[in-house]
Amino acid sequence: MRDIDQKLSGIRFDRVSVTYGGSTSKTGNNTTGTLALDSLDLTVEPGEVMALLGPSGSGKTTALRAVAGFVRPTSGRVFLGERDVTDLPPHRRGIGMVVQSYALFPHLRVEDNVAFGMRAQKVPRTEIPTRVAEALELTGMAAYAKRYPRELSGGQQQRVAIARALAVRPGVLLLDEPLSALDATLRSGMLAELARLHRELPDVSILYVTHDQVEALTLADRIAVMDQARLQDVGTPQDLYRRPRTEFTASFVGNANLLPVQVGSRDKDTVSFGSTELRVPERRDAAAGSTATLCVRPHLVGLGEGPNSLTGEVREVQWRGSTHRLYVDVDGHRVKADVRELREPPALGERVTVHFAPEDAVLLSAGVGEDNG
């Protein structure tokens, strides 16, 4: 599995747009279709795992299909390494792809499923058994080579699908919601396996499409956040979680309290939430007196008095094993606090005080994003 073609490692989207359903009339006029991807500019470096994260209809799967060659960009170009593959059919792009439905051939044994892509690419017959064995060993499925897909669990079938994709020795591996059909336990195990595969195949670029925040945060080197057919944000998981730049990122990557505030007229490290003054890290581009949104992660909100204290009424208490989540109504706004499991959690309707440290807050541009629970 070491013979990766370096020239085909890495992906570049050069202002790629995709429109579905448009057509050209006899007079040459274009009819407007559905814009599924809007001017995507994005680079996946050689050996990098890039997660495309976003809700349904955000454009993430369309972007992956444009790389695979299953959809033709309306405009823009797609590159694998330095090679423009926009006009190439899928089988000539040299990529591996894994989809959520496994797409194994039920009448073929595991070893023949893995060999299928190599035969389609006309790999010399003498090489195929060795490469099948390597791919199955890499994915922990060597002992199942003679079985049929119906004799495997869902997680094992997905490993076979990954082995088949790796057997063609791609420079780029595309993963389209590969774990969505698995239960929580299998999903956790497969995430660990994918992370191990990435360590063992450091030259392979991986584009990973998911709507699951945990998968993206766990596996990706960088995350590209998609919404409404456009790229909204891109950065490392740590940057997007700890210092989101947009409200959509704050609400979609992890969980967030998003509170409407007004920037102080003198000090930009002071904001007003209703009648309460709060201290925040200074944001130099925030105009004095302007409206903004304050982002604080629930696990950084403590119970009791402290810096940046807010008092309100408990509306809901959820036990989550090691923690309790408190939903506190503060002047008509819901504040979420994840605190260590309480022996005696507050009662519904009880007035409590919560707090957060100034350095744990992030000041975003105006407009409160959608609450994500």
Side-chain angles (χ1 to χ4, degrees), residues 26-189:
K26 293 181 179 179
T27 60
N29 295 323
N30 292 324
T31 59
T32 303
T34 300
L35 183 62
L37 192 63
D38 188 2
S39 301
L40 177 61
D41 268 321
L42 183 67
T43 298
V44 183
E45 300 294 343
E48 181 178 36
V49 179
M50 174 74 78
L52 294 182
L53 177 67
S56 297
S58 62
K60 58 188 188 297
T61 295
T62 299
L64 180 139
R65 289 172 63 83
V67 177
F70 299 146
V71 298
R72 182 73 165 78
T74 311
S75 62
R77 312 299 292 176
V78 177
F79 293 83
L80 296 181
E82 296 303 316
R83 186 185 183 195
D84 186 342
V85 299
T86 311
D87 301 319
L88 289 181
H91 69 275
R92 292 185 56 197
R93 298 195 179 196
I95 60 172
M97 186 170 180
V98 179
V99 298
Q100 57 183 311
S101 61
Y102 317 142
L104 300 179
F105 298 106
H107 62 289
L108 296 181
R109 297 180 188 273
V110 163
E111 58 188 1
D112 295 317
N113 265 284
V114 175
F116 183 85
M118 289 184 286
R119 291 182 178 130
Q121 292 189 357
K122 301 192 182 326
V123 172
R125 295 181 62 180
T126 55
E127 289 185 25
I128 291 177
T130 299
R131 287 168 64 166
V132 167
E134 287 179 349
L136 290 175
E137 184 68 31
L138 193 61
T139 54
M141 292 298 293
Y144 301 86
K146 300 296 183 182
R147 295 194 185 184
Y148 289 97
R150 64 178 178 272
E151 300 174 305
L152 305 176
S153 69
Q156 290 170 336
Q157 290 184 53
Q158 194 61 294
R159 288 174 188 239
V160 175
I162 293 170
R164 180 175 59 189
L166 294 176
V168 299
R169 296 181 176 172
V172 168
L173 179 62
L174 307 179
L175 302 174
D176 187 8
E177 302 274 10
L179 309 184
S180 62
L182 305 180
D183 62 36
T185 301
L186 283 175
R187 190 179 302 123
S188 177

Side-chain angles (χ1 to χ4, degrees), residues 342-357:
L342 301 167
R343 292 184 181 275
E344 297 183 9
L348 299 184
E350 183 178 338
R351 296 216 27 110
V352 298
T353 298
V354 295
H355 68 274
F356 58 90

Side-chain angles (χ1 to χ4, degrees), residues 103-349:
L104 300 179
F105 298 106
H107 62 289
L108 296 181
R109 297 180 188 273
V110 163
E111 58 188 1
D112 295 317
N113 265 284
V114 175
F116 183 85
M118 289 184 286
R119 291 182 178 130
Q121 292 189 357
K122 301 192 182 326
V123 172
R125 295 181 62 180
T126 55
E127 289 185 25
I128 291 177
T130 299
R131 287 168 64 166
V132 167
E134 287 179 349
L136 290 175
E137 184 68 31
L138 193 61
T139 54
M141 292 298 293
Y144 301 86
K146 300 296 183 182
R147 295 194 185 184
Y148 289 97
R150 64 178 178 272
E151 300 174 305
L152 305 176
S153 69
Q156 290 170 336
Q157 290 184 53
Q158 194 61 294
R159 288 174 188 239
V160 175
I162 293 170
R164 180 175 59 189
L166 294 176
V168 299
R169 296 181 176 172
V172 168
L173 179 62
L174 307 179
L175 302 174
D176 187 8
E177 302 274 10
L179 309 184
S180 62
L182 305 180
D183 62 36
T185 301
L186 283 175
R187 190 179 302 123
S188 177
M190 281 302 300
L191 271 176
E193 286 300 306
L194 288 172
R196 179 186 61 80
L197 280 173
H198 180 223
R199 291 192 298 270
E200 295 191 16
L201 299 170
D203 297 325
V204 177
S205 302
I206 299 176
L207 189 62
Y208 188 101
V209 165
T210 183
H211 65 274
D212 188 284
Q213 306 160 14
V214 174
E215 291 179 20
L217 291 169
T218 301
L219 191 64
D221 297 311
R222 286 192 300 153
I223 298 173
V225 182
M226 306 285 294
D227 188 43
Q228 297 181 352
R230 295 186 65 89
L231 177 65
Q232 302 293 327
D233 211 341
V234 62
T236 67
Q238 294 83 359
D239 286 345
L240 295 184
Y241 187 82
R242 295 171 181 167
R243 291 289 179 264
R245 290 181 285 275
T246 68
E247 293 177 26
F248 182 81
T249 300
S251 63
F252 202 83
V253 180
N255 205 284
N257 291 299
L258 297 174
L259 305 175
V261 296
Q262 185 172 32
V263 180
S265 56
R266 297 182 187 177
D267 301 321
K268 292 184 180 181
D269 62 350
T270 302
V271 298
S272 297
F273 173 59
S275 60
T276 304
E277 187 175 276
L278 304 171
R279 304 288 294 187
V280 299
E282 180 179 351
R283 178 167 169 170
R284 295 184 179 181
D285 60 345
S290 65
T291 58
T293 299
L294 191 66
C295 169
V296 186
R297 299 295 183 184
H299 75 279
L300 298 174
V301 179
L303 184 61
E305 295 284 348
N308 286 346
S309 291
L310 300 170
T311 300
E313 185 176 296
V314 177
R315 291 297 175 86
E316 188 177 350
V317 178
Q318 294 178 352
W319 179 67
R320 300 191 171 192
S322 61
T323 64
H324 275 98
R325 169 164 288 186
L326 308 181
Y327 292 85
V328 183
D329 185 294
V330 181
D331 296 332
H333 297 278
R334 186 170 66 168
V335 176
K336 295 167 285 190
D338 289 340
V339 298
R340 291 184 60 182
E341 184 181 14
L342 301 167
R343 292 184 181 275
E344 297 183 9
L348 299 184

